[in-house]
């Protein structure tokens, strides 16, 4: 079943899908960062939301 684009939160809250606009909006708001900063974190540590949160707190 395809992701419902009307949802405000990601389908899998453990991973960040940078290819989904609604997920990028959700995570940038949650972490209080720009899309570029979020992408930098994903590039550095992968798609794990926990790892990205730890990276952004550094």
């Amino acid at each position: 079943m395809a992701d419902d684009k009307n949802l405000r939160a990601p389908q899998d809250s453990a991973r960040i899908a940078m290819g989904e606009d609604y997920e990028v909006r959700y995570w940038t708001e949650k972490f209080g960062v720009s899309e570029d900063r979020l992408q930098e974190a994903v590039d550095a540590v992968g798609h794990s939301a926990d790892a990205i949160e730890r990276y952004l707190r550094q």
Side-chain angles (χ1 to χ4, degrees):
M1 183 162 96
D3 287 346
D4 182 350
K5 305 296 191 234
N6 295 317
L7 296 177
R8 294 176 187 250
Q11 292 282 327
D12 180 0
S13 63
R15 303 194 48 79
I16 296 177
M18 292 300 292
E20 298 291 347
D21 291 339
Y22 72 100
E23 284 203 30
V24 172
R25 279 192 307 275
Y26 172 84
W27 291 110
T28 55
E29 289 175 18
K30 177 176 172 69
F31 294 139
V33 298
S34 68
E35 185 175 341
D36 289 338
R37 180 76 169 127
L38 183 62
Q39 184 64 61
E40 174 190 316
V42 170
D43 292 344
V45 298
H47 292 272
S48 166
D50 290 338
I52 290 168
E53 184 172 19
R54 284 191 301 272
Y55 178 86
L56 293 171
R57 287 184 182 181
Q58 292 180 350

